[in-house]
Amino acid sequence: MARIATTLWGIALGLSFTVSAAAAADVAAGKKVFNKCKACHAIGKSKIGPDLAGIINRPAASIEGFKYSDPMQNSGLTWTEENLATFLKKPKALVPGTRMAFAGLKKDDDIQNLIAYLKEATVP
Ligand code: HEC
């Protein structure tokens, strides 16, 4: 009986380790996904694309001096995690006519990991 309890305890410990390791890996994996954005985006300054500093819950088209497309300016969106996930899956589906020339991320895992990374890395 004691042996079963010890075994169960071991399994529980093992599980909690796996869960926290996965949460940490998400951000690291998301950082790699962000490499696909770096051609156009940085955190802290605008390049071809607008500065992504503080992007989570930022209203769309709000970087002073960045030349956004009309559709982006008129989108009325706020970059909640949900809206970001929809946008990054297929930018032109959420904002038809956007100047962001990026087809989208096919894998939902990539999107979730990327958002986890953005949540940490873009805090101003
Ligand atoms: C080929 C260049 C390019 C790539 C690659 C790219 N973007 Fe963009 N992005 C842009 C441009 C240009 C805009 C402005 C779009 C507009 O005005 O319609 C933009 C806009 C955005 C916005 C809206 C910002 C705002 O201020 O409203 C977000 C969020 C965003 N990009 C995230 C990403 C992420 C995350 C990736 C990587 C998965 C990515 N982009 C890849 C060029 C790019």
Side-chain angles (χ1 to χ4, degrees), residues 33-42 46-50 52 101-102:
V33 180
F34 189 65
N35 286 336
K36 298 188 180 180
C37 321
K38 277 187 180 165
C40 304
H41 288 284
S46 295
K47 302 204 307 183
I48 295 168
L52 292 184
F102 183 74

Side-chain angles (χ1 to χ4, degrees), residues 36-37 40-41 48-50 52 55 58-63 66 68-69 72 79 84 87-88 98-102 105 114 118:
K36 298 188 180 180
C37 321
C40 304
H41 288 284
I48 295 168
L52 292 184
I55 191 64
R58 196 173 86 186
S62 59
I63 293 292
F66 185 85
Y68 288 99
S69 64
M72 187 61 82
W79 295 119
L84 269 178
F87 184 63
L88 296 176
T98 176
R99 283 204 301 115
M100 174 154 144
F102 183 74
L105 295 167
L114 176 59
L118 289 175

